[in-house]
Amino acid sequence: MKGAQSQAIGRSRGDITTKILALTDALGNLVDFRLLPGQAHDLRGVPALIDDLAADHLLADCAFDADWLRTTLAKRSITPVIPPKSNRRFPAEFDKKTYKWRHLIENYFGRLKENRGIAMRSCKTDQSFKAFISLAESIIQLR
């Protein structure tokens, strides 16, 4: 691939953006992350992200509500805590009490985006942007 697509830069409603797809542990600490172009759907990066996942539950927002993800998690004995999309004909059940803990991932992104370079994607290449995210995560862990 050439150009912006190979650098996870894409056009979305806001402008030219990059999505950070992050996986955190139960305490809100980063486990792994992937970069996606702004126009890409969030589910596109999930298979690589959950490839070696060992957990009891996976909390995600309704953008991750897909039958294939639910069956993949069920085969691996991971309970999906994902609210159904509003347009689902037969909405899937989820534990609302456990879902309340999803704020930890939002808190993580808030701490991560305190770094202006991450919030504004000031790095030109994916490699340097990933390094900047890793460095920011290290600083967060040291706090």
Side-chain angles (χ1 to χ4, degrees):
M1 255 195 251
K2 286 188 169 190
Q5 285 295 324
S6 65
Q7 294 302 325
I9 298 172
R11 189 168 295 280
S12 68
R13 285 184 179 177
D15 200 5
I16 296 179
T17 59
T18 297
K19 289 184 182 180
I20 303 171
L21 188 63
L23 183 65
T24 63
D25 63 9
L27 299 174
N29 301 316
L30 184 68
V31 174
D32 197 6
F33 69 94
R34 297 286 185 268
L35 298 178
L36 296 173
Q39 80 276 6
H41 193 279
D42 295 338
L43 283 171
R44 202 170 108 190
V46 170
L49 198 59
I50 66 167
D51 193 29
D52 297 326
L53 181 64
D56 293 332
H57 294 81
L58 178 78
L59 282 70
D61 65 6
C62 58
F64 296 90
D65 181 27
D67 291 331
W68 68 265
L69 179 58
R70 290 180 184 276
T71 56
T72 301
L73 294 173
K75 287 178 186 175
R76 297 169 62 186
S77 301
I78 299 172
T79 306
V81 183
I82 305 169
K85 291 181 184 175
S86 61
N87 62 353
R88 256 195 186 262
R89 192 170 188 181
F90 302 106
E93 295 292 321
F94 74 104
D95 185 6
K96 293 179 183 177
K97 189 174 180 181
T98 305
Y99 185 72
K100 289 181 180 180
W101 288 98
R102 202 185 73 78
H103 74 279
L104 292 173
I105 187 74
E106 300 299 335
N107 295 349
Y108 168 74
F109 277 112
R111 288 189 310 264
L112 187 65
K113 289 186 177 184
E114 287 174 3
N115 299 288
R116 192 183 83 186
I118 293 175
M120 298 180 69
R121 172 71 198 248
S122 61
C123 300
K124 186 175 181 179
T125 64
D126 276 359
Q127 187 175 6
S128 61
F129 192 49
K130 286 178 183 179
F132 195 41
I133 292 171
S134 298
L135 181 62
E137 173 58 23
S138 299
I139 292 169
I140 291 169
Q141 289 296 319
L142 291 174
R143 289 183 190 170

